């Protein structure tokens, strides 16, 4: 579902007619105009209204919609990777200091990435509410109406899940909020916010089709599997943090079993292809954010992402004559994989070369030079390495949010917690078997884009022992999650929910993170980031621990 430039503009136009606060200047709707009363009478307009919600999910920077104030870049890897032991900030020491603030827990309520995450999430929630609250009155086909409402419910749950795990309990909006109501907004508890997320995801799962029921042009839309997958992820996070809602590992086991038994997903045979073009919306994809490339740069008008330019290599390579080699050195160099992550991979694991590259490596057929002045670790993330797009700030690579391998490993963890040890072992070994058969990533030979054989030695990535149980089995599952899903923005959250986060931090950083954590009435301490300054003041919301 690579939504076109024109489609995005139409989507914004379609949703804009439902924005509150416009004066009613005629008793009758203008002939031929799209209005709140007729938007969902036309299937094209109804689809565009839902596309407008997906559009917000793709925003990584730009103005506050309808306001004009600029908000800076925010990406899930800033939290999921850089705030963990898997990645360092990268680039030069003074570039993008708000990212260093996140890494070192010196963050304030004026931090740019946090502000953008907050603002964009509530923009998406507002657009989802427009659809959820108006589509039932429309006259479009009932099946389409059900599906579109399911997509809106999924996306509202998606936005709220991102908010609650980052900020804790937040205001819960099911209707549009007028400016006059801003001062009366209240902040829900963590448990109530999660209950809201669960309600939306369960309703979405009931309304949405399976992946295979979509036409090819609609691949990338939310599915029953995606809704159940995010529901399982939300429950897993509660099990290790605030489990006031009294969830059980059996629920995670059942949800992941439902996804697996649907026969909608398989592991992509070649791990090296997952983050390449052949892996987009593949059999392994449960949910991913869709992007295309264009001449547009920064801002929500772009149909591409700036994530690639932020993470690609900053130093250009030169040929023998000293001339810059085209297509090298066009990035900013952030999110550098750490030696700790590299050291987690077992000997000869093909996934390591697919995940990172170093100085002198060939990436997509181009030579790479890593300058220590623009790199913290000597490594770069190969999963986001792409050929230079038409516009550097308009990368076409979809961002994988949930993969089938994650579903298998979630079920493995649930099985281990339920003492279904042999089943957990089998699931982990499925993931390892695929990994050991991977090729090298494309273009490891200069001037080529071929997937050359990895020539993995016999005995690499042996099956984990059938006799593993208890803490040893969980340790094996945690290891597999780290290397299989490396640099996919999950490590930070995995560490928090399993109670291991503070143990991987330097002592001073751990102390600051603990000062911003909820520590009573929880399974493991929950470090929280500050609520965006403006909304905390305007909405009169209590700030998170340790922030002004």
């Amino acid at each position: 579902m690579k939504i076109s430039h024109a489609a995005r503009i139409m989507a914004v136009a379609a949703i804009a007619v439902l924005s509150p606060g416009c004066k009613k200047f005629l008793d009758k709707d203008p002939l031929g105009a799209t209005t709140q009363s007729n938007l969902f009478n036309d299937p094209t307009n109804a689809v565009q209204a839902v596309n407008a919600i997906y559009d917000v999910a793709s925003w990584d920077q730009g103005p506050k919609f309808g306001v004009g104030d600029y908000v800076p870049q925010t990406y899930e890897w800033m939290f999921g990777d850089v705030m963990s032991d898997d990645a360092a900030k990268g680039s030069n020491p003074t570039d993008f200091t708000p990212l260093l603030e996140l890494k070192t827990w010196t963050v304030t309520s004026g931090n740019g990435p946090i502000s953008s995450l907050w603002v964009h999430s509530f923009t998406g929630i507002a657009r989802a509410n427009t659809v959820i609250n108006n589509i039932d009155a429309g006259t479009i086909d009932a099946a389409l109406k059900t599906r579109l409402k399911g997509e809106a419910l999924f996306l509202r749950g998606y936005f709220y899940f991102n908010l609650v795990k980052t900020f804790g309990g937040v205001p819960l909006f099911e209707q549009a909020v007028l400016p006059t109501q801003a001062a009366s907004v209240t902040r829900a508890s963590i448990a109530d916010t999660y209950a809201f997320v669960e309600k939306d995801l369960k309703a979405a799962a009931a309304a949405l089709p399976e992946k295979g029921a979509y036409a090819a042009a609609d691949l990338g839309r939310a599915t029953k599997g995606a809704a159940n997958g995010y529901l399982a992820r939300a429950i897993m996070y509660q099990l290790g943090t605030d489990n006031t809602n009294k969830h059980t590992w059996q629920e995670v086991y059942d949800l992941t079993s439902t996804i697996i038994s649907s026969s909608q997903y398989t592991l992509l045979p070649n791990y090296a292809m997952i983050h390449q073009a052949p892996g987009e919306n593949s059999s392994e994809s449960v949910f991913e954010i869709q992007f295309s490339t264009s001449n547009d740069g920064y801002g929500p008008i772009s149909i591409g992402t700036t994530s690639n330019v932020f993470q690609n290599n900053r130093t250009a390579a030169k040929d023998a004559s000293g001339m810059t080699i085209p297509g090298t050195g066009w990035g900013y160099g952030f999110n550098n994989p750490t030696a700790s992550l590299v050291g987690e991979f077992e000997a000869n694991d093909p996934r390591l070369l697919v995940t990172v590259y170093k100085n002198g490596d060939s990436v997509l057929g181009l030579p790479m030079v890593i300058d220590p002045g623009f790199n913290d670790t000597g490594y770069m993330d190969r999963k986001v390495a792409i050929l230079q797009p038409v516009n550097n700030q308009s990368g076409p690579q979809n961002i994988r949010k949930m993969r089938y391998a994650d579903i298998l490993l979630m079920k493995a963890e649930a099985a281990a917690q339920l003492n279904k040890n042999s089943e957990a072992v089998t699931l982990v070994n499925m993931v390892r078997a695929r990994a050991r058969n991977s090729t090298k990533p494309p273009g490891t030979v200069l001037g080529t884009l071929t997937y050359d054989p990895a020539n993995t030695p016999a005995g690499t990535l042996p099956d984990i022992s059938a006799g593993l149980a208890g803490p040893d089995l969980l340790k094996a599952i945690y290891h597999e999650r780290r290397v299989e899903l490396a640099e996919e923005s999950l490590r930070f959250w995995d560490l928090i929910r399993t109670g291991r986060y503070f143990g991987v931090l330097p002592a001073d950083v751990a102390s600051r993170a603990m000062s911003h954590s909820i520590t009573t009435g929880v399974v493991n301490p929950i470090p929280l980031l500050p609520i965006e300054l403006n909304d905390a003041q305007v909405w009169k919301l209590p700030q998170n621990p340790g922030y002004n």
Side-chain angles (χ1 to χ4, degrees):
M1 190 185 64
K2 297 278 192 176
I3 301 173
S4 71
H5 193 165
R8 289 201 176 192
I9 294 172
M10 289 174 63
V12 171
I15 208 76
V17 303
L18 298 183
S19 299
C22 296
K23 288 188 175 181
K24 186 177 180 183
F25 59 92
L26 287 175
D27 291 333
K28 295 183 179 180
D29 294 337
L31 293 176
T34 301
T35 66
Q36 182 169 338
S37 62
N38 66 23
L39 176 64
F40 296 103
N41 294 341
D42 179 84
T44 300
N45 286 342
V47 169
Q48 295 294 354
V50 173
N51 286 355
I53 317 172
Y54 285 102
D55 189 43
V56 179
S58 75
W59 289 0
D60 41 36
Q61 81 293 299
K64 296 180 182 179
F65 189 77
V67 178
D69 296 341
Y70 180 80
V71 291
Q73 287 76 20
T74 188
Y75 311 100
E76 199 163 358
W77 54 260
M78 290 180 169
F79 310 97
D81 295 329
V82 173
M83 292 186 72
S84 79
D85 55 348
D86 272 6
K89 176 185 85 76
S91 193
N92 68 49
T94 60
D95 197 358
F96 212 137
T97 54
L99 186 52
L100 185 62
E101 294 169 3
L102 291 171
K103 178 71 177 175
T104 58
W105 280 95
T106 55
V107 65
T108 69
S109 57
N111 180 275
I114 291 173
S115 297
S116 298
L117 174 63
W118 179 274
V119 168
H120 289 168
S121 296
F122 279 108
T123 301
I125 288 163
R127 291 188 177 189
N129 282 338
T130 294
V131 175
I132 293 166
N133 293 321
N134 291 280
I135 196 168
D136 286 343
T139 59
I140 61 173
D141 174 76
L144 178 61
K145 183 186 297 184
T146 298
R147 193 202 86 194
L148 292 177
K149 188 173 182 179
E151 291 180 62
L153 286 162
F154 169 82
L155 289 165
R156 188 171 70 179
Y158 169 85
F159 288 121
Y160 266 119
F161 180 49
N162 287 337
L163 287 169
V164 67
K165 66 181 182 178
T166 307
F167 303 104
V170 295
L172 301 178
F173 299 127
E174 292 188 275
Q175 303 286 337
V177 179
L178 298 175
T180 55
Q181 299 171 310
S184 62
V185 169
T186 59
R187 186 177 178 186
S189 67
I190 291 177
D192 286 346
T193 306
Y194 270 115
F196 191 92
V197 171
E198 293 169 35
K199 176 178 65 71
D200 276 358
L201 292 176
K202 288 176 181 177
L208 289 170
E210 295 282 13
K211 182 178 181 179
Y214 277 111
D218 283 322
L219 285 180
R221 292 187 180 276
T223 64
K224 189 181 298 293
N228 282 325
Y230 268 89
L231 181 57
R233 186 178 279 181
I235 290 173
M236 281 181 71
Y237 200 68
Q238 290 174 81
L239 284 166
T241 54
D242 182 335
N243 196 26
T244 303
N245 292 323
K246 300 187 184 305
H247 287 295
T248 67
W249 281 103
Q250 187 66 48
E251 293 173 85
V252 178
Y253 181 88
D254 291 343
L255 285 163
T256 50
S257 295
T258 296
I259 297 168
I260 293 168
S261 64
S262 72
S263 301
Q264 297 292 309
Y265 308 96
T266 62
L267 293 174
L268 198 64
N270 187 2
Y271 184 86
M273 287 186 175
I274 292 172
H275 289 88
Q276 303 301 318
E280 292 196 342
N281 301 313
S282 71
S283 64
E284 184 155 351
S285 174
V286 179
F287 185 63
E288 58 190 73
I289 304 296
Q290 310 290 306
F291 291 101
S292 293
T293 194
S294 70
N295 288 319
D296 297 301
Y298 291 116
I301 198 65
S302 174
I303 61 172
T305 177
T306 62
S307 184
N308 296 101
V309 70
F310 264 73
Q311 296 179 81
N312 269 259
N313 195 9
R314 189 161 187 159
T315 305
K318 298 184 183 298
D319 61 21
S321 66
M323 297 293 292
T324 296
I325 297 175
T328 65
W330 57 272
Y332 303 156
F334 292 101
N335 193 25
N336 303 158
T338 60
S340 172
L341 172 60
V342 171
E344 184 78 14
F345 287 83
E346 296 162 59
N348 301 310
D349 186 340
R351 291 175 293 192
L352 175 59
L353 188 61
V354 175
T355 302
V356 306
Y357 65 89
K358 60 187 185 304
N359 186 53
D361 284 350
S362 173
V363 177
L364 297 171
L366 295 169
M368 290 294 129
V369 175
I370 296 180
D371 183 346
F374 298 106
N375 186 280
D376 290 334
T377 66
Y379 299 103
M380 296 292 296
D381 181 1
R382 196 190 290 258
K383 287 182 177 178
V384 296
I386 62 172
L387 294 175
Q388 186 172 9
V390 175
N391 185 299
N392 290 354
Q393 292 83 39
S394 189
Q397 184 188 43
N398 288 359
I399 296 178
R400 281 63 164 169
K401 293 292 187 178
M402 184 174 286
R403 300 198 276 114
Y404 186 56
D406 190 8
I407 301 299
L408 295 177
L409 293 174
M410 283 197 282
K411 183 176 180 180
E413 190 171 341
Q417 294 283 1
L418 295 169
N419 294 316
K420 300 176 184 288
N421 298 328
S422 61
E423 187 172 5
V425 166
T426 297
L427 291 162
V428 173
N429 286 335
M430 289 172 60
V431 175
R432 290 171 69 83
R434 188 269 297 273
R436 76 173 71 102
N437 291 316
S438 177
T439 67
K440 293 181 179 180
T444 54
V445 176
L446 290 175
T448 75
L449 285 172
T450 57
Y451 293 84
D452 292 327
N455 298 317
T456 304
T460 298
L461 294 177
D463 285 352
I464 64 171
S465 171
L468 280 180
D472 289 338
L473 178 54
L474 286 174
K475 183 179 178 180
I477 294 169
Y478 297 158
H479 161 79
E480 206 62 36
R481 286 189 64 83
R482 189 179 187 190
V483 295
E484 170 69 23
L485 303 168
E487 294 293 288
E488 296 183 35
S489 305
L490 291 173
R491 174 69 172 172
F492 173 65
W493 312 110
D494 276 353
L495 288 171
I496 290 173
R497 69 175 180 81
T498 56
R500 297 175 292 148
Y501 180 59
F502 297 92
V504 306
L505 298 176
D508 60 328
V509 177
S511 177
R512 288 193 293 271
M514 188 62 76
S515 72
H516 299 302
S517 297
I518 296 175
T519 57
T520 58
V522 295
V523 182
N524 290 301
I526 311 172
L528 297 174
L529 292 169
I531 292 174
E532 195 266 345
L533 179 61
N534 182 70
D535 283 354
Q537 293 174 341
V538 172
W539 293 355
K540 296 180 171 55
L541 300 177
Q543 187 55 273
N544 281 328
Y547 301 106
N548 295 324

